[in-house]
Amino acid sequence: MGKEKVCLAYSGGLDTSCILAWLIEKGYEVVCFMADIGQEEDFEAAKEKALKIGASSVHVVDLRKEFVEKLCYPAIQCNAIYENVYLLGTSLARPVIARGQIAVAEQEGCTLVSHGCTGKGNDQVRFELAFYALKPDVKVIAPWRLPEFYNRFAGRNDLLAYAAEVGVPVSQTKTKPWSMDENLAHCSYEAGILEDPDETAPKDLWKLTIDPLDAPDTPEDFTVHFEKGLPSKLEYEGGKVATEPLDLFLTANAIARRHGVGRIDIVENRFIGLKSRGCYETPGLTILRSAHVDLEGLVLDKEIRALRDQFVTFNYSKVLYNGLYFSPEREFLEDSITSSQKTVNGKVRCRVYKGSLIILGRSSETSKLYDMAESSMDEIGTSFAPVDTTGFISVQAIRLKK
C-alpha cells in the first residue's frame, strides 16, 4: 500500500518547514500548498526548500485577486473592525487559503490536511472550521495539539535546533524570535519579546511601512472613488489612475507604506479565551476603510448607518475573527452589507503625512441627503423645534422622501 497523503499549508518558515520534515519522518507522503496572497515571498526558493526537505510536490496558487475582491472589499464595505482597532488582516486571508488548500488536496487525492497553527491561537479554529465546511470527510493533522509533537518541540528554540539537526534552512534566528504572518492586506508580529505587553516593539520589527518619524516631509494627496460602497477608482500622483481591484489595492498599499500609515500595537481577546499582544501593519486597507467611513457620513441614511454599525459591522467582524466565514450567518450579513451600500457613491479626497490620514473633502453626485441651503447656519429657518412634534415629523418626512 502507498503512503497516506497529506496536504500541508506550507509557508517556507520555521514552523511549517519543521512540520514538513516531521510528517515525512512519521511516514506520510506530503504535498505542500502555498497560497500567494500578496506576501513578499520568494516562492521559488520556498518551493525548492520544500522539495529538498522531501515534499512529493509543491503547489503555488495565486489567490491575490480573490483575496481582494471576495474578502478585503466586503470588509471595506461594512467597515469591518475587531475591538475597535484591528482590521482583521489575518482573519480575512484564512478563508481564501483554506479554499485553495482543499482544492489542491482533492486534486492530489489527499485524505488529510495539515497546518502549522499553534494550539493557543485563533488560526487553528479558522482553518479547521473552513476545512470541515468545504470537505466534511477530511481529516486534520494539527501538530501543535499532538502531545508527541509539542512535548518534543516545547518552543521555538527546539524547532531551531531540530531544523539544524535535519538540515532545514530557516531565516528566523534566536535574536529575532517573533512570529510573522504577511499577506496583501497586512503583516502581523507576535511571540518572542512581544509577549511582554509593555515591551516597545523594536524599530527593525516593522517590515511594510516606513517609520512615521522617517516618512517624507511632504504630504501626498489622493482621491478614492466608491460605487455602492466598493472602491472603484484611485487617483494619485497628479493624474495616475487605478481601477482594477488588485491594482487599486496595491496602489493604496504603496501610498500608505511610504508615509508610515497603518501601524497598530494592541492586546486583543482571542476566540479561544486568551489575551494576545500583537503588532500589525495594515497600510492600504486602513486608508480605504477610513475613506469609506467618511463618505458614509455624507451619503448614508442615519438609521441605516446605525443599524449597520450596531448589527452588521459588529457581527460580520466577529464572524470573520472567529473563523465562521463558510456559514449561513456570513452569507446573510453580506447580503445586508450589499443592501446598506446602495447609496454609498462618491469620492473622498485624502492626504497622508507622517503616519496619519487626513480627509480633505468629500462629494457625491447621486446623494440627496446633504443640502447646503438646509444645513446652512447663515440662512433663516429651523429644522427642529424641541416642543413642536410637527417640526420633528416634517424632518422625518424629508428624510424618507430623499
Side-chain angles (χ1 to χ4, degrees), residues 117-135:
C117 306
T118 74
K120 294 184 178 181
N122 294 314
D123 279 342
Q124 59 180 334
V125 177
R126 294 169 184 151
F127 276 121
E128 291 178 36
L129 286 177
F131 292 152
Y132 292 129
L134 293 163
K135 187 175 173 60

Side-chain angles (χ1 to χ4, degrees), residues 262-318:
R263 293 184 179 188
I264 62 169
D265 181 340
I266 63 172
V267 176
E268 69 195 70
N269 289 293
R270 285 180 173 170
F271 172 64
I272 61 169
L274 298 174
K275 285 188 179 290
S276 170
R277 190 272 186 94
C279 295
Y280 302 111
E281 292 177 286
T282 319
L285 191 58
T286 294
I287 60 176
L288 293 174
R289 179 187 180 276
S290 296
H292 178 265
V293 170
D294 182 84
L295 180 62
E296 285 190 331
L298 177 68
V299 302
L300 192 58
D301 176 85
K302 70 173 185 177
E303 298 301 335
I304 292 177
R305 188 174 190 177
L307 287 168
R308 194 280 319 278
D309 288 349
Q310 294 166 15
F311 183 79
V312 180
T313 297
F314 174 80
N315 284 288
Y316 188 71
S317 302
K318 185 171 71 171

Side-chain angles (χ1 to χ4, degrees), residues 222-389:
F222 59 95
T223 301
V224 186
H225 296 249
F226 292 89
E227 292 181 8
K228 297 183 179 179
L230 294 171
S232 59
K233 181 166 65 173
L234 196 157
E235 299 174 292
Y236 65 107
E237 293 183 4
K240 294 183 180 179
V241 175
T243 56
E244 190 275 325
L246 180 55
D247 183 36
L248 191 155
F249 202 92
L250 288 169
T251 302
N253 266 344
I255 292 170
R257 288 177 66 168
R258 59 179 171 254
H259 290 273
V261 176
R263 293 184 179 188
I264 62 169
D265 181 340
I266 63 172
V267 176
E268 69 195 70
N269 289 293
R270 285 180 173 170
F271 172 64
I272 61 169
L274 298 174
K275 285 188 179 290
S276 170
R277 190 272 186 94
C279 295
Y280 302 111
E281 292 177 286
T282 319
L285 191 58
T286 294
I287 60 176
L288 293 174
R289 179 187 180 276
S290 296
H292 178 265
V293 170
D294 182 84
L295 180 62
E296 285 190 331
L298 177 68
V299 302
L300 192 58
D301 176 85
K302 70 173 185 177
E303 298 301 335
I304 292 177
R305 188 174 190 177
L307 287 168
R308 194 280 319 278
D309 288 349
Q310 294 166 15
F311 183 79
V312 180
T313 297
F314 174 80
N315 284 288
Y316 188 71
S317 302
K318 185 171 71 171
V319 161
L320 287 173
Y321 190 83
N322 292 344
L324 294 169
Y325 180 82
F326 297 101
S327 66
E329 54 265 44
R330 189 273 304 172
E331 294 177 4
F332 167 76
L333 289 165
E334 283 200 354
D335 287 343
S336 300
I337 293 168
T338 301
S339 178
S340 74
Q341 297 294 293
K342 295 175 182 176
T343 63
V344 184
N345 308 300
K347 62 182 181 181
V348 182
R349 295 186 298 108
C350 308
R351 172 173 292 165
V352 281
Y353 180 68
K354 298 286 186 182
S356 298
L357 174 72
I358 303 162
I359 303 298
L360 302 177
R362 76 289 294 161
S363 61
S364 173
E365 295 181 359
T366 61
S367 176
K368 299 179 181 179
L369 290 178
Y370 183 84
D371 186 293
M372 289 180 63
E374 287 181 356
S375 300
S376 176
M377 297 296 183
D378 295 325
E379 295 194 19
I380 298 174
T382 181
S383 295
F384 172 59
V387 296
D388 183 357
T389 56

Side-chain angles (χ1 to χ4, degrees), residues 14-295:
L14 174 64
D15 285 28
T16 54
S17 292
C18 289
I19 288 171
L20 169 57
W22 180 80
L23 287 169
I24 294 171
E25 182 184 299
K26 298 297 292 183
Y28 294 105
E29 178 184 345
V30 185
V31 172
C32 285
F33 164 73
M34 297 188 70
D36 179 358
I37 45 174
Q39 66 271 42
E40 294 176 354
E41 177 72 63
D42 186 337
F43 290 102
E44 279 305 311
K47 182 176 181 178
E48 288 178 15
K49 181 195 291 188
L51 292 172
K52 180 180 178 181
I53 294 169
S56 62
S57 63
V58 181
H59 295 253
V60 180
V61 184
D62 187 347
L63 299 172
R64 295 175 301 162
K65 187 174 185 292
E66 178 185 348
F67 180 41
V68 171
E69 294 181 353
K70 301 299 184 183
L71 274 300
C72 294
Y73 269 29
I76 293 167
Q77 263 191 316
C78 81
N79 306 325
I81 195 165
Y82 181 73
E83 295 189 337
N84 301 313
V85 230
Y86 173 43
L87 299 189
L88 301 162
T90 297
S91 313
L92 291 168
R94 295 324 186 212
V96 179
I97 298 172
R99 187 155 43 202
Q101 185 174 354
I102 290 297
V104 168
E106 291 182 331
Q107 176 185 334
E108 286 277 0
C110 298
T111 56
L112 303 101
V113 293
S114 185
H115 59 74
C117 306
T118 74
K120 294 184 178 181
N122 294 314
D123 279 342
Q124 59 180 334
V125 177
R126 294 169 184 151
F127 276 121
E128 291 178 36
L129 286 177
F131 292 152
Y132 292 129
L134 293 163
K135 187 175 173 60
D137 62 339
V138 77
K139 296 178 181 178
V140 178
I141 299 176
W144 283 113
R145 294 205 307 270
L146 298 175
E148 64 175 307
F149 187 87
Y150 65 68
N151 286 333
R152 181 177 177 183
F153 306 108
R156 295 184 181 275
N157 287 339
D158 291 337
L159 289 175
L160 289 167
Y162 178 67
E165 176 188 331
V166 298
V168 174
V170 293
S171 59
Q172 189 182 43
T173 67
K174 294 181 180 180
T175 58
K176 291 185 178 181
W178 52 74
S179 173
M180 293 172 55
D181 180 75
E182 183 185 358
N183 60 50
L184 193 68
H186 93 155
C187 189
S188 67
Y189 311 87
E190 296 178 329
I193 62 170
L194 299 178
E195 290 178 352
D196 178 353
D198 198 32
E199 180 74 30
T200 302
K203 185 170 183 174
D204 64 347
L205 172 139
W206 306 98
K207 176 184 179 182
L208 300 184
T209 58
I210 190 171
D211 189 319
L213 297 177
D214 300 327
D217 293 329
T218 302
E220 182 173 353
D221 296 352
F222 59 95
T223 301
V224 186
H225 296 249
F226 292 89
E227 292 181 8
K228 297 183 179 179
L230 294 171
S232 59
K233 181 166 65 173
L234 196 157
E235 299 174 292
Y236 65 107
E237 293 183 4
K240 294 183 180 179
V241 175
T243 56
E244 190 275 325
L246 180 55
D247 183 36
L248 191 155
F249 202 92
L250 288 169
T251 302
N253 266 344
I255 292 170
R257 288 177 66 168
R258 59 179 171 254
H259 290 273
V261 176
R263 293 184 179 188
I264 62 169
D265 181 340
I266 63 172
V267 176
E268 69 195 70
N269 289 293
R270 285 180 173 170
F271 172 64
I272 61 169
L274 298 174
K275 285 188 179 290
S276 170
R277 190 272 186 94
C279 295
Y280 302 111
E281 292 177 286
T282 319
L285 191 58
T286 294
I287 60 176
L288 293 174
R289 179 187 180 276
S290 296
H292 178 265
V293 170
D294 182 84
L295 180 62

